[in-house]
PDB file of all heavy atoms in Angstrom:
ATOM      1  N   LYS A   8       0.806  -1.163   0.018  1.00 92.00           N
ATOM      2  CA  LYS A   8       0.059  -0.088  -0.004  1.00 92.00           C
ATOM      3  C   LYS A   8       0.877   1.197  -0.008  1.00 92.00           C
ATOM      4  O   LYS A   8       0.665   2.296  -0.710  1.00 92.00           O
ATOM      5  CB  LYS A   8      -0.908  -0.066   1.192  1.00 92.00           C
ATOM      6  CG  LYS A   8      -1.868   1.134   1.257  1.00 92.00           C
ATOM      7  CD  LYS A   8      -2.728   1.107   2.438  1.00 92.00           C
ATOM      8  CE  LYS A   8      -3.787   2.163   2.473  1.00 92.00           C
ATOM      9  NZ  LYS A   8      -4.672   2.129   3.709  1.00 92.00           N
ATOM     10  N   ALA A   9       1.838   1.241   0.885  1.00 95.00           N
ATOM     11  CA  ALA A   9       2.798   2.420   0.892  1.00 95.00           C
ATOM     12  C   ALA A   9       3.588   2.691  -0.478  1.00 95.00           C
ATOM     13  O   ALA A   9       3.592   3.814  -0.947  1.00 95.00           O
ATOM     14  CB  ALA A   9       3.839   2.198   1.991  1.00 95.00           C
ATOM     15  N   ALA A  10       4.004   1.486  -1.072  1.00 95.00           N
ATOM     16  CA  ALA A  10       4.672   1.687  -2.292  1.00 95.00           C
ATOM     17  C   ALA A  10       3.815   2.131  -3.450  1.00 95.00           C
ATOM     18  O   ALA A  10       4.116   2.929  -4.302  1.00 95.00           O
ATOM     19  CB  ALA A  10       5.315   0.275  -2.763  1.00 95.00           C
ATOM     20  N   THR A  11       2.570   1.649  -3.415  1.00 92.00           N
ATOM     21  CA  THR A  11       1.597   2.041  -4.335  1.00 92.00           C
ATOM     22  C   THR A  11       1.237   3.569  -4.326  1.00 92.00           C
ATOM     23  O   THR A  11       1.116   4.290  -5.293  1.00 92.00           O
ATOM     24  CB  THR A  11       0.251   1.159  -4.191  1.00 92.00           C
ATOM     25  OG1 THR A  11       0.449  -0.149  -4.395  1.00 92.00           O
ATOM     26  CG2 THR A  11      -0.798   1.605  -5.237  1.00 92.00           C
ATOM     27  N   GLN A  12       1.130   4.070  -3.123  1.00 93.00           N
ATOM     28  CA  GLN A  12       0.943   5.556  -2.874  1.00 93.00           C
ATOM     29  C   GLN A  12       1.971   6.250  -3.517  1.00 93.00           C
ATOM     30  O   GLN A  12       1.839   7.279  -4.017  1.00 93.00           O
ATOM     31  CB  GLN A  12       0.634   5.659  -1.446  1.00 93.00           C
ATOM     32  CG  GLN A  12      -0.584   5.165  -0.853  1.00 93.00           C
ATOM     33  CD  GLN A  12      -1.858   5.747  -1.438  1.00 93.00           C
ATOM     34  OE1 GLN A  12      -1.914   6.921  -1.717  1.00 93.00           O
ATOM     35  NE2 GLN A  12      -2.736   4.834  -1.708  1.00 93.00           N
ATOM     36  N   GLN A  13       3.235   5.754  -3.145  1.00 95.00           N
ATOM     37  CA  GLN A  13       4.453   6.588  -3.724  1.00 95.00           C
ATOM     38  C   GLN A  13       4.387   6.497  -5.273  1.00 95.00           C
ATOM     39  O   GLN A  13       4.735   7.607  -5.878  1.00 95.00           O
ATOM     40  CB  GLN A  13       5.740   5.857  -3.108  1.00 95.00           C
ATOM     41  CG  GLN A  13       5.932   6.065  -1.741  1.00 95.00           C
ATOM     42  CD  GLN A  13       7.106   5.355  -1.126  1.00 95.00           C
ATOM     43  OE1 GLN A  13       7.818   4.644  -1.911  1.00 95.00           O
ATOM     44  NE2 GLN A  13       7.562   5.703   0.086  1.00 95.00           N
ATOM     45  N   LEU A  14       4.072   5.433  -5.857  1.00 94.00           N
ATOM     46  CA  LEU A  14       4.075   5.295  -7.368  1.00 94.00           C
ATOM     47  C   LEU A  14       2.982   6.321  -7.873  1.00 94.00           C
ATOM     48  O   LEU A  14       3.173   6.880  -8.897  1.00 94.00           O
ATOM     49  CB  LEU A  14       3.789   3.911  -7.787  1.00 94.00           C
ATOM     50  CG  LEU A  14       5.014   2.944  -7.622  1.00 94.00           C
ATOM     51  CD1 LEU A  14       4.586   1.456  -7.794  1.00 94.00           C
ATOM     52  CD2 LEU A  14       6.199   3.290  -8.489  1.00 94.00           C
ATOM     53  N   LEU A  15       1.795   6.274  -7.190  1.00 93.00           N
ATOM     54  CA  LEU A  15       0.723   7.039  -7.726  1.00 93.00           C
ATOM     55  C   LEU A  15       0.973   8.621  -7.624  1.00 93.00           C
ATOM     56  O   LEU A  15       0.776   9.284  -8.347  1.00 93.00           O
ATOM     57  CB  LEU A  15      -0.638   6.746  -6.832  1.00 93.00           C
ATOM     58  CG  LEU A  15      -1.194   5.409  -7.161  1.00 93.00           C
ATOM     59  CD1 LEU A  15      -2.346   5.132  -6.199  1.00 93.00           C
ATOM     60  CD2 LEU A  15      -1.739   5.302  -8.671  1.00 93.00           C
ATOM     61  N   GLU A  16       1.702   8.992  -6.499  1.00 94.00           N
ATOM     62  CA  GLU A  16       2.199  10.307  -6.446  1.00 94.00           C
ATOM     63  C   GLU A  16       3.158  10.626  -7.558  1.00 94.00           C
ATOM     64  O   GLU A  16       2.916  11.666  -8.025  1.00 94.00           O
ATOM     65  CB  GLU A  16       2.985  10.462  -5.035  1.00 94.00           C
ATOM     66  CG  GLU A  16       2.196  10.390  -3.869  1.00 94.00           C
ATOM     67  CD  GLU A  16       1.408  11.636  -3.473  1.00 94.00           C
ATOM     68  OE1 GLU A  16       1.549  12.645  -4.308  1.00 94.00           O
ATOM     69  OE2 GLU A  16       0.549  11.667  -2.541  1.00 94.00           O
ATOM     70  N   ALA A  17       4.007   9.769  -7.806  1.00 95.00           N
ATOM     71  CA  ALA A  17       5.006   9.973  -8.947  1.00 95.00           C
ATOM     72  C   ALA A  17       4.288  10.124 -10.178  1.00 95.00           C
ATOM     73  O   ALA A  17       4.645  10.991 -11.137  1.00 95.00           O
ATOM     74  CB  ALA A  17       6.109   8.873  -8.885  1.00 95.00           C
ATOM     75  N   GLU A  18       3.299   9.264 -10.465  1.00 93.00           N
ATOM     76  CA  GLU A  18       2.632   9.127 -11.695  1.00 93.00           C
ATOM     77  C   GLU A  18       1.689  10.497 -11.815  1.00 93.00           C
ATOM     78  O   GLU A  18       1.619  11.073 -12.972  1.00 93.00           O
ATOM     79  CB  GLU A  18       1.690   7.937 -11.651  1.00 93.00           C
ATOM     80  CG  GLU A  18       0.962   7.875 -12.974  1.00 93.00           C
ATOM     81  CD  GLU A  18       0.074   6.429 -13.047  1.00 93.00           C
ATOM     82  OE1 GLU A  18      -0.069   5.852 -11.993  1.00 93.00           O
ATOM     83  OE2 GLU A  18      -0.442   6.167 -14.209  1.00 93.00           O
ATOM     84  N   ALA A  19       1.098  10.919 -10.728  1.00 94.00           N
ATOM     85  CA  ALA A  19       0.383  12.187 -10.769  1.00 94.00           C
ATOM     86  C   ALA A  19       1.213  13.363 -11.174  1.00 94.00           C
ATOM     87  O   ALA A  19       0.871  14.231 -11.877  1.00 94.00           O
ATOM     88  CB  ALA A  19      -0.373  12.411  -9.385  1.00 94.00           C
ATOM     89  N   THR A  20       2.459  13.320 -10.562  1.00 94.00           N
ATOM     90  CA  THR A  20       3.365  14.508 -10.865  1.00 94.00           C
ATOM     91  C   THR A  20       3.731  14.448 -12.269  1.00 94.00           C
ATOM     92  O   THR A  20       3.767  15.579 -12.887  1.00 94.00           O
ATOM     93  CB  THR A  20       4.566  14.367  -9.885  1.00 94.00           C
ATOM     94  OG1 THR A  20       4.244  14.433  -8.553  1.00 94.00           O
ATOM     95  CG2 THR A  20       5.601  15.376 -10.238  1.00 94.00           C
ATOM     96  N   GLN A  21       3.961  13.249 -12.904  1.00 93.00           N
ATOM     97  CA  GLN A  21       4.419  13.249 -14.233  1.00 93.00           C
ATOM     98  C   GLN A  21       3.242  13.509 -15.093  1.00 93.00           C
ATOM     99  O   GLN A  21       3.524  14.255 -16.157  1.00 93.00           O
ATOM    100  CB  GLN A  21       4.814  11.756 -14.515  1.00 93.00           C
ATOM    101  CG  GLN A  21       5.339  11.553 -16.034  1.00 93.00           C
ATOM    102  CD  GLN A  21       5.830  10.151 -16.254  1.00 93.00           C
ATOM    103  OE1 GLN A  21       5.480   9.218 -15.459  1.00 93.00           O
ATOM    104  NE2 GLN A  21       6.546   9.916 -17.278  1.00 93.00           N
ATOM    105  N   LEU A  22       2.021  13.107 -14.884  1.00 93.00           N
ATOM    106  CA  LEU A  22       0.908  13.530 -15.666  1.00 93.00           C
ATOM    107  C   LEU A  22       0.539  15.073 -15.546  1.00 93.00           C
ATOM    108  O   LEU A  22       0.225  15.610 -16.698  1.00 93.00           O
ATOM    109  CB  LEU A  22      -0.463  12.706 -15.231  1.00 93.00           C
ATOM    110  CG  LEU A  22      -0.385  11.170 -15.609  1.00 93.00           C
ATOM    111  CD1 LEU A  22      -1.517  10.612 -14.857  1.00 93.00           C
ATOM    112  CD2 LEU A  22      -0.511  11.061 -17.068  1.00 93.00           C
ATOM    113  N   LEU A  23       0.705  15.531 -14.411  1.00 93.00           N
ATOM    114  CA  LEU A  23       0.484  17.101 -14.261  1.00 93.00           C
ATOM    115  C   LEU A  23       1.588  17.838 -15.118  1.00 93.00           C
ATOM    116  O   LEU A  23       1.396  18.856 -15.739  1.00 93.00           O
ATOM    117  CB  LEU A  23       0.418  17.485 -12.815  1.00 93.00           C
ATOM    118  CG  LEU A  23      -0.638  17.015 -12.009  1.00 93.00           C
ATOM    119  CD1 LEU A  23      -0.379  17.294 -10.573  1.00 93.00           C
ATOM    120  CD2 LEU A  23      -1.931  17.817 -12.348  1.00 93.00           C
ATOM    121  N   ALA A  24       2.771  17.327 -15.061  1.00 92.00           N
ATOM    122  CA  ALA A  24       3.973  17.969 -15.845  1.00 92.00           C
ATOM    123  C   ALA A  24       3.729  17.982 -17.260  1.00 92.00           C
ATOM    124  O   ALA A  24       4.090  18.974 -17.920  1.00 92.00           O
ATOM    125  CB  ALA A  24       5.204  17.343 -15.370  1.00 92.00           C
ATOM    126  N   SER A  25       3.135  16.961 -17.791  1.00 90.00           N
ATOM    127  CA  SER A  25       2.965  16.855 -19.217  1.00 90.00           C
ATOM    128  C   SER A  25       1.596  17.296 -19.764  1.00 90.00           C
ATOM    129  O   SER A  25       1.326  17.265 -20.911  1.00 90.00           O
ATOM    130  CB  SER A  25       3.251  15.331 -19.598  1.00 90.00           C
ATOM    131  OG  SER A  25       2.256  14.548 -19.075  1.00 90.00           O
ATOM    132  N   ALA A  26       0.763  17.720 -18.821  1.00 89.00           N
ATOM    133  CA  ALA A  26      -0.597  18.113 -19.233  1.00 89.00           C
ATOM    134  C   ALA A  26      -0.562  19.530 -19.910  1.00 89.00           C
ATOM    135  O   ALA A  26       0.081  20.456 -19.509  1.00 89.00           O
ATOM    136  CB  ALA A  26      -1.545  18.209 -18.067  1.00 89.00           C
ATOM    137  N   GLU A  27      -1.450  19.644 -21.042  1.00 85.00           N
ATOM    138  CA  GLU A  27      -1.610  20.932 -21.676  1.00 85.00           C
ATOM    139  C   GLU A  27      -2.646  21.747 -20.949  1.00 85.00           C
ATOM    140  O   GLU A  27      -3.691  21.102 -20.651  1.00 85.00           O
ATOM    141  CB  GLU A  27      -1.888  20.701 -23.196  1.00 85.00           C
ATOM    142  CG  GLU A  27      -0.854  20.138 -23.963  1.00 85.00           C
ATOM    143  CD  GLU A  27      -1.172  19.997 -25.469  1.00 85.00           C
ATOM    144  OE1 GLU A  27      -2.263  20.561 -25.740  1.00 85.00           O
ATOM    145  OE2 GLU A  27      -0.417  19.370 -26.142  1.00 85.00           O
ATOM    146  N   GLU A  28      -2.380  23.038 -20.862  1.00 87.00           N
ATOM    147  CA  GLU A  28      -3.427  23.926 -20.169  1.00 87.00           C
ATOM    148  C   GLU A  28      -4.235  24.597 -21.250  1.00 87.00           C
ATOM    149  O   GLU A  28      -3.725  25.216 -22.169  1.00 87.00           O
ATOM    150  CB  GLU A  28      -2.654  24.853 -19.331  1.00 87.00           C
ATOM    151  CG  GLU A  28      -3.664  25.723 -18.472  1.00 87.00           C
ATOM    152  CD  GLU A  28      -3.040  26.528 -17.416  1.00 87.00           C
ATOM    153  OE1 GLU A  28      -1.956  26.203 -16.949  1.00 87.00           O
ATOM    154  OE2 GLU A  28      -3.441  27.567 -17.122  1.00 87.00           O
ATOM    155  N   ARG A  29      -5.605  24.484 -21.168  1.00 84.00           N
ATOM    156  CA  ARG A  29      -6.450  25.185 -22.109  1.00 84.00           C
ATOM    157  C   ARG A  29      -7.543  26.005 -21.302  1.00 84.00           C
ATOM    158  O   ARG A  29      -8.154  25.418 -20.392  1.00 84.00           O
ATOM    159  CB  ARG A  29      -7.173  24.174 -23.058  1.00 84.00           C
ATOM    160  CG  ARG A  29      -6.248  23.326 -23.872  1.00 84.00           C
ATOM    161  CD  ARG A  29      -7.022  22.364 -24.596  1.00 84.00           C
ATOM    162  NE  ARG A  29      -6.234  21.406 -25.346  1.00 84.00           N
ATOM    163  CZ  ARG A  29      -6.673  20.236 -25.859  1.00 84.00           C
ATOM    164  NH1 ARG A  29      -7.968  20.028 -25.867  1.00 84.00           N
ATOM    165  NH2 ARG A  29      -5.816  19.483 -26.530  1.00 84.00           N
ATOM    166  N   ASN A  30      -7.582  27.374 -21.536  1.00 84.00           N
ATOM    167  CA  ASN A  30      -8.468  28.108 -20.807  1.00 84.00           C
ATOM    168  C   ASN A  30      -8.333  28.051 -19.374  1.00 84.00           C
ATOM    169  O   ASN A  30      -9.348  27.986 -18.593  1.00 84.00           O
ATOM    170  CB  ASN A  30      -9.921  27.740 -21.349  1.00 84.00           C
ATOM    171  CG  ASN A  30     -10.122  28.063 -22.766  1.00 84.00           C
ATOM    172  OD1 ASN A  30      -9.483  29.015 -23.382  1.00 84.00           O
ATOM    173  ND2 ASN A  30     -10.954  27.131 -23.347  1.00 84.00           N
ATOM    174  N   GLY A  31      -7.092  27.936 -18.844  1.00 87.00           N
ATOM    175  CA  GLY A  31      -6.901  27.810 -17.468  1.00 87.00           C
ATOM    176  C   GLY A  31      -7.128  26.507 -16.893  1.00 87.00           C
ATOM    177  O   GLY A  31      -7.059  26.423 -15.679  1.00 87.00           O
ATOM    178  N   ILE A  32      -7.408  25.472 -17.644  1.00 92.00           N
ATOM    179  CA  ILE A  32      -7.655  24.184 -17.158  1.00 92.00           C
ATOM    180  C   ILE A  32      -6.656  23.127 -17.683  1.00 92.00           C
ATOM    181  O   ILE A  32      -6.259  23.145 -18.834  1.00 92.00           O
ATOM    182  CB  ILE A  32      -9.053  23.656 -17.541  1.00 92.00           C
ATOM    183  CG1 ILE A  32     -10.063  24.573 -17.067  1.00 92.00           C
ATOM    184  CG2 ILE A  32      -9.311  22.192 -17.109  1.00 92.00           C
ATOM    185  CD1 ILE A  32     -11.587  24.181 -17.576  1.00 92.00           C
ATOM    186  N   LYS A  33      -6.040  22.367 -16.805  1.00 93.00           N
ATOM    187  CA  LYS A  33      -5.225  21.329 -17.140  1.00 93.00           C
ATOM    188  C   LYS A  33      -6.035  20.038 -17.342  1.00 93.00           C
ATOM    189  O   LYS A  33      -6.449  19.494 -16.325  1.00 93.00           O
ATOM    190  CB  LYS A  33      -4.053  21.067 -16.108  1.00 93.00           C
ATOM    191  CG  LYS A  33      -2.981  22.166 -16.140  1.00 93.00           C
ATOM    192  CD  LYS A  33      -1.915  21.673 -15.216  1.00 93.00           C
ATOM    193  CE  LYS A  33      -0.643  22.662 -15.298  1.00 93.00           C
ATOM    194  NZ  LYS A  33       0.526  22.333 -14.417  1.00 93.00           N
ATOM    195  N   MET A  34      -6.194  19.598 -18.589  1.00 92.00           N
ATOM    196  CA  MET A  34      -7.015  18.492 -18.892  1.00 92.00           C
ATOM    197  C   MET A  34      -6.057  17.273 -19.048  1.00 92.00           C
ATOM    198  O   MET A  34      -5.159  17.187 -19.784  1.00 92.00           O
ATOM    199  CB  MET A  34      -7.623  18.668 -20.259  1.00 92.00           C
ATOM    200  CG  MET A  34      -8.618  17.503 -20.655  1.00 92.00           C
ATOM    201  SD  MET A  34     -10.056  17.490 -19.738  1.00 92.00           S
ATOM    202  CE  MET A  34     -10.853  18.901 -20.392  1.00 92.00           C
ATOM    203  N   ILE A  35      -6.385  16.233 -18.171  1.00 94.00           N
ATOM    204  CA  ILE A  35      -5.617  14.925 -18.181  1.00 94.00           C
ATOM    205  C   ILE A  35      -6.529  13.819 -18.499  1.00 94.00           C
ATOM    206  O   ILE A  35      -7.515  13.520 -17.850  1.00 94.00           O
ATOM    207  CB  ILE A  35      -4.987  14.555 -16.770  1.00 94.00           C
ATOM    208  CG1 ILE A  35      -3.957  15.739 -16.402  1.00 94.00           C
ATOM    209  CG2 ILE A  35      -4.341  13.302 -16.787  1.00 94.00           C
ATOM    210  CD1 ILE A  35      -3.490  15.723 -14.948  1.00 94.00           C
ATOM    211  N   LYS A  36      -6.361  13.398 -19.671  1.00 93.00           N
ATOM    212  CA  LYS A  36      -7.216  12.141 -20.220  1.00 93.00           C
ATOM    213  C   LYS A  36      -6.320  11.151 -20.542  1.00 93.00           C
ATOM    214  O   LYS A  36      -5.323  11.049 -21.198  1.00 93.00           O
ATOM    215  CB  LYS A  36      -7.791  12.665 -21.447  1.00 93.00           C
ATOM    216  CG  LYS A  36      -8.864  11.607 -22.118  1.00 93.00           C
ATOM    217  CD  LYS A  36      -9.443  11.984 -23.470  1.00 93.00           C
ATOM    218  CE  LYS A  36      -8.219  11.830 -24.534  1.00 93.00           C
ATOM    219  NZ  LYS A  36      -8.772  12.088 -25.965  1.00 93.00           N
ATOM    220  N   SER A  37      -6.667   9.915 -19.815  1.00 92.00           N
ATOM    221  CA  SER A  37      -5.930   8.676 -20.059  1.00 92.00           C
ATOM    222  C   SER A  37      -6.713   7.441 -19.922  1.00 92.00           C
ATOM    223  O   SER A  37      -7.562   7.408 -18.974  1.00 92.00           O
ATOM    224  CB  SER A  37      -4.646   8.765 -19.066  1.00 92.00           C
ATOM    225  OG  SER A  37      -3.787   7.711 -19.383  1.00 92.00           O
ATOM    226  N   ALA A  38      -6.438   6.419 -20.699  1.00 91.00           N
ATOM    227  CA  ALA A  38      -7.004   5.143 -20.518  1.00 91.00           C
ATOM    228  C   ALA A  38      -5.919   4.101 -20.159  1.00 91.00           C
ATOM    229  O   ALA A  38      -4.919   4.007 -20.827  1.00 91.00           O
ATOM    230  CB  ALA A  38      -7.693   4.736 -21.770  1.00 91.00           C
ATOM    231  N   PHE A  39      -6.133   3.213 -19.119  1.00 91.00           N
ATOM    232  CA  PHE A  39      -5.168   2.225 -18.923  1.00 91.00           C
ATOM    233  C   PHE A  39      -5.719   0.923 -18.944  1.00 91.00           C
ATOM    234  O   PHE A  39      -6.797   0.663 -18.513  1.00 91.00           O
ATOM    235  CB  PHE A  39      -4.964   2.524 -17.196  1.00 91.00           C
ATOM    236  CG  PHE A  39      -4.440   3.849 -16.912  1.00 91.00           C
ATOM    237  CD1 PHE A  39      -5.506   4.689 -16.483  1.00 91.00           C
ATOM    238  CD2 PHE A  39      -3.187   4.290 -16.995  1.00 91.00           C
ATOM    239  CE1 PHE A  39      -5.074   6.025 -15.998  1.00 91.00           C
ATOM    240  CE2 PHE A  39      -2.871   5.594 -16.644  1.00 91.00           C
ATOM    241  CZ  PHE A  39      -3.725   6.398 -16.158  1.00 91.00           C
ATOM    242  N   PRO A  40      -4.982  -0.106 -19.507  1.00 89.00           N
ATOM    243  CA  PRO A  40      -5.477  -1.390 -19.819  1.00 89.00           C
ATOM    244  C   PRO A  40      -5.393  -2.191 -18.428  1.00 89.00           C
ATOM    245  O   PRO A  40      -4.345  -2.193 -17.725  1.00 89.00           O
ATOM    246  CB  PRO A  40      -4.605  -1.995 -20.825  1.00 89.00           C
ATOM    247  CG  PRO A  40      -3.275  -1.190 -20.677  1.00 89.00           C
ATOM    248  CD  PRO A  40      -3.704   0.284 -20.165  1.00 89.00           C
ATOM    249  N   ASN A  41      -6.419  -2.916 -18.151  1.00 86.00           N
ATOM    250  CA  ASN A  41      -6.509  -3.904 -16.969  1.00 86.00           C
ATOM    251  C   ASN A  41      -5.995  -3.286 -15.669  1.00 86.00           C
ATOM    252  O   ASN A  41      -4.990  -3.806 -15.048  1.00 86.00           O
ATOM    253  CB  ASN A  41      -5.585  -5.168 -17.405  1.00 86.00           C
ATOM    254  CG  ASN A  41      -6.164  -5.886 -18.619  1.00 86.00           C
ATOM    255  OD1 ASN A  41      -7.337  -6.019 -18.565  1.00 86.00           O
ATOM    256  ND2 ASN A  41      -5.344  -6.033 -19.507  1.00 86.00           N
ATOM    257  N   ARG A  42      -6.412  -2.233 -15.342  1.00 89.00           N
ATOM    258  CA  ARG A  42      -5.975  -1.544 -14.119  1.00 89.00           C
ATOM    259  C   ARG A  42      -7.213  -1.387 -13.088  1.00 89.00           C
ATOM    260  O   ARG A  42      -8.235  -1.282 -13.448  1.00 89.00           O
ATOM    261  CB  ARG A  42      -5.544  -0.004 -14.404  1.00 89.00           C
ATOM    262  CG  ARG A  42      -4.733   0.573 -13.187  1.00 89.00           C
ATOM    263  CD  ARG A  42      -3.865   1.766 -13.630  1.00 89.00           C
ATOM    264  NE  ARG A  42      -3.139   2.391 -12.531  1.00 89.00           N
ATOM    265  CZ  ARG A  42      -2.242   3.323 -12.734  1.00 89.00           C
ATOM    266  NH1 ARG A  42      -2.019   3.876 -13.978  1.00 89.00           N
ATOM    267  NH2 ARG A  42      -1.626   3.745 -11.780  1.00 89.00           N
ATOM    268  N   ASP A  43      -6.786  -1.541 -11.781  1.00 89.00           N
ATOM    269  CA  ASP A  43      -7.911  -1.743 -10.729  1.00 89.00           C
ATOM    270  C   ASP A  43      -8.562  -0.231 -10.737  1.00 89.00           C
ATOM    271  O   ASP A  43      -8.024   0.862 -10.802  1.00 89.00           O
ATOM    272  CB  ASP A  43      -7.235  -1.944  -9.395  1.00 89.00           C
ATOM    273  CG  ASP A  43      -8.280  -1.961  -8.342  1.00 89.00           C
ATOM    274  OD1 ASP A  43      -9.030  -2.980  -8.350  1.00 89.00           O
ATOM    275  OD2 ASP A  43      -8.343  -1.149  -7.334  1.00 89.00           O
ATOM    276  N   ALA A  44      -9.940  -0.309 -10.659  1.00 89.00           N
ATOM    277  CA  ALA A  44     -10.735   0.864 -10.706  1.00 89.00           C
ATOM    278  C   ALA A  44     -10.471   1.701  -9.454  1.00 89.00           C
ATOM    279  O   ALA A  44     -10.418   3.057  -9.574  1.00 89.00           O
ATOM    280  CB  ALA A  44     -12.188   0.482 -10.795  1.00 89.00           C
ATOM    281  N   ALA A  45     -10.237   1.115  -8.315  1.00 90.00           N
ATOM    282  CA  ALA A  45      -9.926   1.872  -7.096  1.00 90.00           C
ATOM    283  C   ALA A  45      -8.728   2.591  -7.207  1.00 90.00           C
ATOM    284  O   ALA A  45      -8.540   3.670  -6.725  1.00 90.00           O
ATOM    285  CB  ALA A  45      -9.971   0.958  -5.876  1.00 90.00           C
ATOM    286  N   GLU A  46      -7.713   1.986  -7.790  1.00 92.00           N
ATOM    287  CA  GLU A  46      -6.403   2.604  -8.128  1.00 92.00           C
ATOM    288  C   GLU A  46      -6.513   3.994  -8.861  1.00 92.00           C
ATOM    289  O   GLU A  46      -5.924   5.014  -8.676  1.00 92.00           O
ATOM    290  CB  GLU A  46      -5.300   1.735  -8.716  1.00 92.00           C
ATOM    291  CG  GLU A  46      -3.993   2.246  -8.691  1.00 92.00           C
ATOM    292  CD  GLU A  46      -3.123   1.131  -9.162  1.00 92.00           C
ATOM    293  OE1 GLU A  46      -2.804   0.160  -8.393  1.00 92.00           O
ATOM    294  OE2 GLU A  46      -2.479   1.218 -10.330  1.00 92.00           O
ATOM    295  N   ILE A  47      -7.310   3.787 -10.006  1.00 92.00           N
ATOM    296  CA  ILE A  47      -7.395   5.115 -10.863  1.00 92.00           C
ATOM    297  C   ILE A  47      -8.291   6.069 -10.113  1.00 92.00           C
ATOM    298  O   ILE A  47      -8.118   7.299 -10.438  1.00 92.00           O
ATOM    299  CB  ILE A  47      -7.972   4.748 -12.328  1.00 92.00           C
ATOM    300  CG1 ILE A  47      -9.436   4.244 -12.182  1.00 92.00           C
ATOM    301  CG2 ILE A  47      -7.061   3.701 -12.978  1.00 92.00           C
ATOM    302  CD1 ILE A  47      -9.981   4.256 -13.605  1.00 92.00           C
TER     303      ILE A  47
END
């Protein structure tokens, strides 16, 4: 659980860094294959 939280923190940071901002909104759209719904 601790490791997963750390990975999700890192993933969130990466997604935010690569997100394009439109009209003041950072839109993050992504589809993940075979991933747990609670995790996303």
Side-chain angles (χ1 to χ4, degrees):
K8 183 176 181 180
T11 300
Q12 291 298 317
Q13 291 178 352
L14 287 171
L15 289 174
E16 290 281 1
E18 186 176 8
T20 299
Q21 184 180 15
L22 288 171
L23 286 168
S25 60
E27 294 184 5
E28 186 171 330
R29 300 175 186 175
N30 300 322
I32 297 174
K33 284 188 175 182
M34 181 78 67
I35 299 171
K36 181 187 71 170
S37 188
F39 307 95
N41 299 311
R42 194 160 181 181
D43 183 68
E46 189 173 291
I47 66 167

